[in-house]
C-alpha cells in the first residue's frame, strides 16, 4: 500500500510538473519568472506580454479587455519622456477629451511627440509577428477606427438635415467613417537630430461628402451624389528640424486646414455632430506648410497651397464654355477658378501653465474668386482651462468669396442656367457651390461673406466622462454657403462616455433655428425647397478604435 501511495504521489507530481512546463511553454519566451500566473500589467508592467499571450487574436482581445474601464494604457516605466520638461503644461487628457494639446493643425505637435506613441490594439496584436516587429523597429504604426452612428430628426426629406452636419440624412443609421492610418511620427521632443514622418489616411463612409476635394475621386459626390464614398483627406510627409530655434516642421502633401476646434476625423471632436461653424469651413489644403516654434510660448505657421479642397492638377486646367457671358467671357473657362497659388499664415501663443491658448490665422488667401471652395478665411480660436473640470473653447471667423454670380440678376442667372459657369449642371450636377443673393439685382456678381461665433463649454465629470455644451451664431449674408440667405442660431449638448481609451460613445441633442427664412427639410440637389425654419436632431455614435 505504501508503495502504491508513493507511486501515486510520484505520478501526481509528474503530472503537475508537466502541466507547469506546458504553462511555461505557452508564455512568451521572455516572460519574467514572476508572471507565471495572471498579473495585472497596471500593477506590474513587466507582465504585459504574459497577460496578452502570444498569438495575434489573443493579444488583440486581451488588450481590449485589459484597458476596459481604464482611462489610459498601462504606463511603461522605461519609456522616454513624452514632453520637453520646460514646455507649457499639458492642458487636457484623452479620455475624456478628444485631444491632449489645444488643436492647431498643419503639423505634428511640436515638443510633445514621440515615435510609435499611439495606443493601438492592432499594433499590440501585431507585436509578436515579424511584420509587427519590423514596423516597431522603424517606428511605423497602422491603426484606425470604425464609427457608426444615427439620428432622429424633425426633418424628413433625404438630405434635409443640412445645413446641419454630419447627419446629412434624417432618421437613419449610417456608417459615418471607417478610417485607417499608415503613419510614422517624427520625434519632436528631442533636439539633436533631424527626423521625419508621414501619414496616409484613407476614409470611407457617409462623411466623405464633407472632406471631398474637387479632382480627387470627387465624381462620387459631384456627379453621383453617392451616400457613402471614399476619400484621402490626409496624405503627407514631414521633416522636423530641431536645430532651428525650438524646432521647424515642414509638411508637404494634403493635410487638415489650420486652425479649428473641430476636425473631420471623428475622435478629434467633442460631440458627434459638428457645428455649422466647422461645416462651412476650410477643410483641407494641399501644398507645403511650415511650422516654427520660436520659443516655448510662440509658434508661427506659413504655407503655400493651391487653395482649399482643390488639387494641383486643376491649376490652369480649362473646360469648354458653351455660353460665353460677362462672368466667363471666353470659349473656355477655368475648371476651378479657386485652384491657384494661395497663402496660409498663423500665429499661436500658449501660456506657461497651458491654460490659455490663442491662434490667429489667415487661410487659403488668394484673389478670392468664386471657386469650388475658394474660402478666404480670417479668424481665431481661443481656449481657456479654468480648472481640472472646466474649460471653454471659442472660435470666430469671417470667410468670403468674390465674383459670385448674383441669382437676382438675369444675366448671371442665364449664365448659370446655360452652362456658362464651371459649376453649372452640365459640369457639376450635384453639390455644386451655391451662387449668391446680392443686395440688389443690378450687379452681376458680388462678394459673399459668412460670419461665425462658436463656443464650447466643457465639464469633466470623471476620467471617462465629459459633458459639452455648444452654442453658436452664424450669418450666411448672401446665402452662398448654405444656399439660404439667413442667420442661424444653434445650440446643443452632448455626453462623451469612454468605456476605455479604445471605445467611446457620444449621445447628444441639438436645436437649430434659421432666423430670416426657411432653411431646413429641403434638398437643392433634387429641387426641393426647405419648408422649416427649425430642426431638432438627437443623435449618437460609437467609435471603436483598433
Amino acid at each position: 500500500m505504501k508503495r502504491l501511495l508513493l507511486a501515486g504521489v510520484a505520478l501526481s507530481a509528474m503530472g503537475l510538473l508537466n502541466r507547469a512546463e506546458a504553462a511555461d511553454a505557452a508564455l512568451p519566451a521572455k516572460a519574467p519568472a514572476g508572471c507565471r500566473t495572471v498579473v495585472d500589467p497596471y500593477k506590474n508592467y513587466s507582465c504585459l506580454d504574459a497577460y496578452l499571450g502570444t498569438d495575434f487574436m489573443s493579444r488583440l482581445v486581451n488588450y481590449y479587455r485589459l484597458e476596459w474601464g481604464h482611462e489610459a494604457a498601462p504606463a511603461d516605466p522605461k519609456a522616454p519622456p513624452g514632453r520637453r520638461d520646460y514646455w507649457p503644461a499639458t492642458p487636457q487628457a484623452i479620455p475624456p477629451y478628444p485631444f491632449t494639446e489645444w488643436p492647431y493643425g498643419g503639423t505634428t505637435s511640436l515638443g510633445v511627440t514621440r515615435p510609435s506613441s499611439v495606443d493601438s490594439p492592432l499594433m499590440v496584436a501585431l507585436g509578436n509577428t515579424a511584420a509587427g516587429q519590423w514596423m516597431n523597429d522603424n517606428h511605423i504604426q497602422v491603426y484606425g477606427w470604425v464609427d457608426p452612428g444615427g439620428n432622429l430628426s424633425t426633418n424628413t426629406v433625404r438630405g434635409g438635415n443640412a445645413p446641419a452636419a454630419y447627419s446629412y440624412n434624417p432618421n437613419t443609421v449610417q456608417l459615418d467613417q471607417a478610417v485607417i492610418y499608415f503613419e510614422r511620427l517624427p520625434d519632436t521632443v528631442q533636439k539633436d537630430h533631424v527626423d521625419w514622418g508621414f501619414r496616409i489616411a484613407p476614409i470611407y463612409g457617409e462623411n466623405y461628402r464633407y472632406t471631398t476635394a474637387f479632382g480627387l475621386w470627387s465624381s462620387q459626390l459631384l456627379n453621383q451624389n453617392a451616400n457613402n464614398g471614399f476619400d484621402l483627406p490626409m496624405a503627407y510627409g514631414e521633416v522636423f528640424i530641431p536645430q532651428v530655434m525650438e524646432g521647424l516642421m515642414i509638411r508637404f502633401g494634403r493635410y487638415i486646414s489650420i486652425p479649428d476646434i473641430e476636425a473631420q476625423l471623428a475622435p478629434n471632436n467633442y460631440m458627434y455632430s459638428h457645428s455649422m461653424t466647422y461645416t462651412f469651413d476650410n477643410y483641407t489644403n494641399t501644398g507645403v506648410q511650415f511650422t516654427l516654434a520660436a520659443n516655448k510660448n510662440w509658434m508661427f505657421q506659413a504655407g503655400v497651397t493651391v487653395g482649399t479642397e482643390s488639387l494641383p492638377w486643376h491649376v490652369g486646367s480649362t473646360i469648354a464654355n458653351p455660353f460665353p457671358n460677362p462672368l466667363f467671357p471666353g470659349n473656355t473657362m477655368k475648371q476651378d477658378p479657386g485652384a491657384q497659388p494661395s497663402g496660409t499664415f498663423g500665429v499661436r501663443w500658449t501660456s506657461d501653465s497651458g491654460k490659455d491658448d490663442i491662434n490667429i490665422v489667415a487661410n487659403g488667401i488668394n484673389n478670392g474668386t468664386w471657386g469650388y471652395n475658394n474660402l478666404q478665411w480670417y479668424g481665431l480660436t481661443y481656449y481657456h482651462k479654468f480648472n481640472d473640470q472646466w474649460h471653454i473653447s471659442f472660435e470666430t471667423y469671417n470667410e468670403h468669396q468674390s465674383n459670385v454670380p448674383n441669382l437676382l440678376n438675369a444675366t448671371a442667372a442665364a449664365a448659370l442656367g446655360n452652362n456658362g459657369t464651371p459649376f453649372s449642371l452640365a459640369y457639376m450636377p450635384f453639390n455644386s457651390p451655391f451662387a449668391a443673393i446680392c443686395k440688389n439685382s443690378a450687379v452681376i456678381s458680388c462678394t459673399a461673406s459668412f460670419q461665425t461665433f462658436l463656443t464650447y463649454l466643457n465639464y469633466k465629470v470623471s476620467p471617462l466622462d465629459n459633458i459639452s455644451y455648444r452654442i453658436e451664431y452664424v450669418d450666411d449674408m448672401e446665402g452662398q454657403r448654405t444656399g439660404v440667405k439667413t442667420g442661424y442660431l444653434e445650440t446643443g449638448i452632448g455626453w462623451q462616455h469612454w468605456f476605455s481609451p479604445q471605445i467611446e460613445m457620444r449621445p447628444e441633442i441639438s436645436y437649430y433655428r434659421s432666423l430670416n427664412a426657411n432653411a431646413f427639410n429641403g434638398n437643392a440637389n433634387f429641387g426641393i425647397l426647405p419648408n422649416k425654419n427649425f430642426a431638432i436632431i438627437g443623435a449618437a455614435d460609437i467609435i471603436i478604435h483598433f
Side-chain angles (χ1 to χ4, degrees):
M1 179 64 70
K2 185 176 180 180
R3 291 178 180 176
L4 289 174
L5 288 172
L6 289 173
V9 169
L11 289 172
S12 298
M14 291 178 63
L16 290 170
L17 180 61
N18 290 337
R19 285 195 292 274
E21 290 175 348
D24 284 348
L27 292 172
K30 297 182 180 179
C35 301
R36 298 184 188 280
T37 58
V38 176
V39 175
D40 185 354
Y42 282 93
K43 298 177 180 177
N44 186 351
Y45 187 82
S46 65
C47 294
L48 179 61
D49 275 339
Y51 177 94
L52 295 174
T54 56
D55 64 280
F56 175 88
M57 190 54 64
S58 293
R59 291 174 67 86
L60 183 68
V61 172
N62 286 337
Y63 196 71
Y64 280 108
R65 183 164 64 94
L66 171 66
E67 289 195 321
W68 192 264
H70 292 275
E71 66 267 24
D76 182 355
K78 298 180 181 179
R83 189 181 201 88
R84 295 179 186 173
D85 56 9
Y86 57 92
W87 222 239
T90 306
Q92 301 297 352
I94 304 174
Y97 295 116
F99 46 75
T100 55
E101 306 299 314
W102 304 122
Y104 52 105
T107 177
T108 295
S109 295
L110 303 184
V112 298
T113 303
R114 288 290 191 185
S116 303
S117 57
V118 175
D119 181 23
S120 162
L122 178 60
M123 289 305 302
V124 169
L126 288 169
N128 273 10
T129 68
Q133 290 169 5
W134 178 86
M135 286 190 286
N136 285 331
D137 290 342
N138 291 278
H139 299 305
I140 294 172
Q141 291 190 287
V142 180
Y143 63 97
W145 59 87
V146 177
D147 178 34
N151 75 91
L152 295 173
S153 172
T154 55
N155 299 309
T156 56
V157 171
R158 181 189 173 194
N161 278 345
Y166 275 359
S167 299
Y168 177 72
N169 291 316
N171 306 306
T172 189
V173 174
Q174 63 193 26
L175 173 63
D176 289 289
Q177 51 185 250
V179 177
I180 187 167
Y181 281 9
F182 302 89
E183 175 180 86
R184 185 188 194 276
L185 292 172
D187 189 338
T188 71
V189 178
Q190 56 80 31
K191 291 205 65 183
D192 57 23
H193 67 274
V194 174
D195 206 356
W196 61 278
F198 70 89
R199 176 180 287 174
I200 307 295
I203 178 175
Y204 179 81
E206 188 268 357
N207 291 174
Y208 90 101
R209 68 173 49 248
Y210 300 101
T211 68
T212 295
F214 185 25
L216 186 66
W217 304 298
S218 54
S219 64
Q220 301 169 99
L221 179 68
L222 305 179
N223 296 97
Q224 304 166 33
N225 195 32
N227 191 65
N228 293 323
F230 173 84
D231 193 23
L232 191 64
M234 288 181 283
Y236 60 76
E238 289 186 316
V239 176
F240 178 61
I241 307 173
Q243 295 87 354
V244 180
M245 303 182 81
E246 288 292 340
L248 172 66
M249 183 72 78
I250 305 172
R251 176 176 286 189
F252 48 91
R254 188 182 182 204
Y255 50 86
I256 305 299
S257 300
I258 65 169
D260 266 317
I261 295 171
E262 303 168 48
Q264 293 96 328
L265 289 309
N268 301 137
N269 299 282
Y270 293 116
M271 295 171 61
Y272 170 36
S273 65
H274 284 259
S275 64
M276 292 182 66
T277 294
Y278 187 71
T279 301
F280 297 98
D281 197 0
N282 304 56
Y283 275 19
T284 65
N285 296 126
T286 302
V288 181
Q289 183 75 35
F290 299 85
T291 302
L292 173 67
N295 56 42
K296 64 179 180 177
N297 304 107
W298 289 93
M299 188 176 296
F300 299 91
Q301 295 186 281
V304 178
T305 71
V306 291
T308 302
E309 272 77 73
S310 56
L311 280 303
W313 45 86
H314 272 179
V315 177
S317 175
T318 60
I319 54 177
N321 184 0
F323 190 79
N325 60 83
L327 287 169
F328 297 93
N331 292 321
T332 62
M333 53 188 167
K334 290 184 177 179
Q335 187 173 20
D336 181 6
Q340 55 180 291
S342 310
T344 295
F345 310 95
V347 58
R348 170 188 177 91
W349 175 82
T350 305
S351 65
D352 287 345
S353 67
K355 290 184 176 181
D356 290 279
D357 179 272
I358 187 169
N359 298 265
I360 301 173
V361 168
N363 190 15
I365 307 305
N366 52 48
N367 66 11
T369 192
W370 186 50
Y372 174 68
N373 246 354
N374 193 28
L375 308 174
Q376 309 300 288
W377 196 100
Y378 299 88
L380 66 85
T381 60
Y382 172 67
Y383 304 89
H384 177 69
K385 179 178 179 179
F386 298 98
N387 53 43
D388 286 342
Q389 279 70 49
W390 293 93
H391 80 267
I392 194 169
S393 306
F394 173 78
E395 180 172 353
T396 182
Y397 68 74
N398 180 276
E399 65 186 16
H400 71 269
Q401 294 186 73
S402 58
N403 303 317
V404 182
N406 182 9
L407 289 171
L408 301 179
N409 181 275
T411 302
L416 288 163
N418 289 281
N419 301 317
T421 79
F423 309 117
S424 295
L425 286 176
Y427 295 109
M428 198 170 287
F430 297 106
N431 303 299
S432 61
F434 289 112
I437 301 173
C438 303
K439 290 181 172 60
N440 64 73
S441 61
V443 296
I444 192 171
S445 66
C446 63
T447 296
S449 296
F450 190 78
Q451 179 67 53
T452 74
F453 301 92
L454 167 68
T455 299
Y456 279 95
L457 179 63
N458 305 282
Y459 175 63
K460 179 181 177 181
V461 181
S462 78
L464 294 172
D465 295 276
N466 176 60
I467 302 293
S468 291
Y469 172 68
R470 180 176 70 207
I471 186 167
E472 65 175 329
Y473 170 77
V474 303
D475 191 357
D476 193 358
M477 300 177 194
E478 283 72 34
Q480 194 278 321
R481 296 301 290 144
T482 68
V484 180
K485 183 177 181 178
T486 183
Y488 297 86
L489 181 66
E490 184 266 331
T491 187
I493 189 167
W495 171 40
Q496 301 88 55
H497 174 67
W498 300 69
F499 298 97
S500 75
Q502 308 300 338
I503 301 176
E504 172 192 3
M505 71 172 187
R506 301 181 296 182
E508 65 175 59
I509 187 167
S510 295
Y511 172 78
Y512 301 81
R513 181 67 180 260
S514 54
L515 304 176
N516 312 110
N518 290 334
F520 297 94
N521 207 41
N523 191 321
N525 286 320
F526 304 129
I528 302 172
L529 295 176
N531 59 15
K532 293 182 179 180
N533 66 355
F534 77 96
I536 301 173
I537 303 174
D541 71 336
I542 184 167
I543 304 171
I544 303 171
H545 296 257
F546 57 83

